[in-house]
Amino acid sequence: MPELSQETERGRGAAPFGLAEVTGPSMVPTLYQGDQLLVRYGARVRAGDVVVLRHPFQQDLLVVKRAVEPREGGWWVLGDNAYAGGDSTDYGTVPEELILGRALFRWRPLPAGQRSPLAVARWALSAARPVLADRPGRPGRSASRRLRAR
């Protein structure tokens, strides 16, 4: 994902919204490699939200995870893909100050070589969607099955 400036992270002087690109499989099936995200920086985070955060051990690396629950010392975050790793099961609770913002919307670019009318129509119907939170009574479309199993 692209690195953000310090000014943007704090929400000062710049718009509170920004774009990020997804790399890696940790949020499949909610987000895929190449998906573009509209992120609201400084937004209030609630359990179930998909968030952009700085990796606790590599602060120049931004990651996208689902905020599961607040704990002492910050947020417990997990990827929707139970087999990808790289979440709080590896590095523990993420301090609140490392949570940059909440993903609001995602869109998928048209795959290269997909120019047939049927392929374009299928893409148009699924390319842009809100990023839904996984909350009791209103689960996200592809919420982590790991959360329910614990």
Side-chain angles (χ1 to χ4, degrees):
M1 297 184 71
E3 183 163 346
L4 308 171
S5 71
Q6 294 281 341
E7 189 172 326
T8 303
E9 291 173 25
R10 292 188 194 107
R12 292 186 203 138
F17 297 96
L19 300 175
E21 181 177 346
V22 175
T23 59
S26 72
M27 287 300 290
V28 170
T30 305
L31 303 171
Y32 289 90
Q33 174 87 20
D35 283 358
Q36 304 291 314
L37 298 177
L38 175 65
V39 180
R40 179 160 186 202
Y41 297 109
R44 184 174 147 229
V45 175
R46 296 178 293 190
D49 286 343
V50 174
V51 296
V52 175
L53 58 116
R54 288 207 172 273
H55 191 283
F57 303 134
Q58 293 177 277
Q59 305 246 330
D60 60 336
L61 177 65
L62 301 182
V63 294
V64 177
K65 301 292 177 198
R66 190 172 298 278
V68 177
E69 64 184 15
R71 292 188 177 183
E72 186 177 329
W75 280 93
W76 190 260
V77 298
L78 294 174
D80 284 356
N81 181 348
Y83 303 105
D87 54 24
S88 286
T89 57
D90 294 329
Y91 46 73
T93 304
V94 176
E96 185 85 34
E97 60 270 10
L98 296 181
I99 307 286
L100 302 179
R102 183 168 42 105
L104 302 175
F105 200 78
R106 72 101 176 124
W107 65 94
R108 295 190 171 124
L110 182 64
Q114 298 278 334
R115 301 292 181 211
S116 74
L118 181 59
V120 171
R122 266 190 275 173
W123 169 81
L125 291 173
S126 67
R129 296 213 172 165
V131 177
L132 300 176
D134 179 22
R135 296 205 176 87
R138 194 190 78 167
R141 185 174 64 89
S142 52
S144 175
R145 288 182 177 81
R146 249 191 331 180
L147 302 179
R148 293 187 205 122
R150 290 188 175 171

